[in-house]
Amino acid sequence: SYFKTAIHHPYTLMLLKANPDPFSEKPPFSQKIKGEAGSSIFRPEGCVFFPRCEEREDICLKKAPELRKISDSQFIACFKR
């Protein structure tokens, strides 16, 4: 599907999984988002998504990933992708 090939960031994938697919013939269900949202006032030193990311690594806690271009219309800030 489009989402599996075009969406790369773990946060975006998690948000999509948390909402039912309006085009699916299956009964709607949503996956609960795990973890706590980071503080918007006291931002962490590393990746702001670290507390909720299922693919986090040690570097994510220590350093924020830089935004980089992955296609003509997409940018990502993630060490894993």
Side-chain angles (χ1 to χ4, degrees):
S1 84
Y2 170 79
F3 291 122
K4 289 181 182 176
T5 58
I7 308 294
H8 298 276
H9 196 278
Y11 182 71
T12 306
L13 292 171
M14 184 183 66
L15 290 176
L16 290 171
K17 289 179 188 176
N19 293 292
D21 181 356
F23 303 107
S24 176
E25 294 180 15
K26 298 177 185 177
F29 72 94
S30 62
Q31 180 179 348
K32 186 176 179 177
I33 296 175
K34 300 175 186 174
E36 294 294 320
S39 171
S40 58
I41 298 171
F42 302 106
R43 297 187 64 117
E45 184 177 335
C47 179
V48 295
F49 182 55
F50 181 86
R52 299 188 118 176
C53 186
E54 295 178 358
E55 299 183 32
R56 66 183 177 231
E57 295 181 345
D58 290 340
I59 191 169
C60 304
L61 183 60
K62 300 170 188 169
K63 182 179 177 185
E66 293 184 20
L67 189 64
R68 59 188 166 81
K69 189 173 185 175
I70 59 171
S71 76
D72 288 340
S73 60
Q74 289 181 306
F75 293 81
I76 190 169
C78 183
F79 292 112
K80 294 283 292 186
R81 307 289 176 162

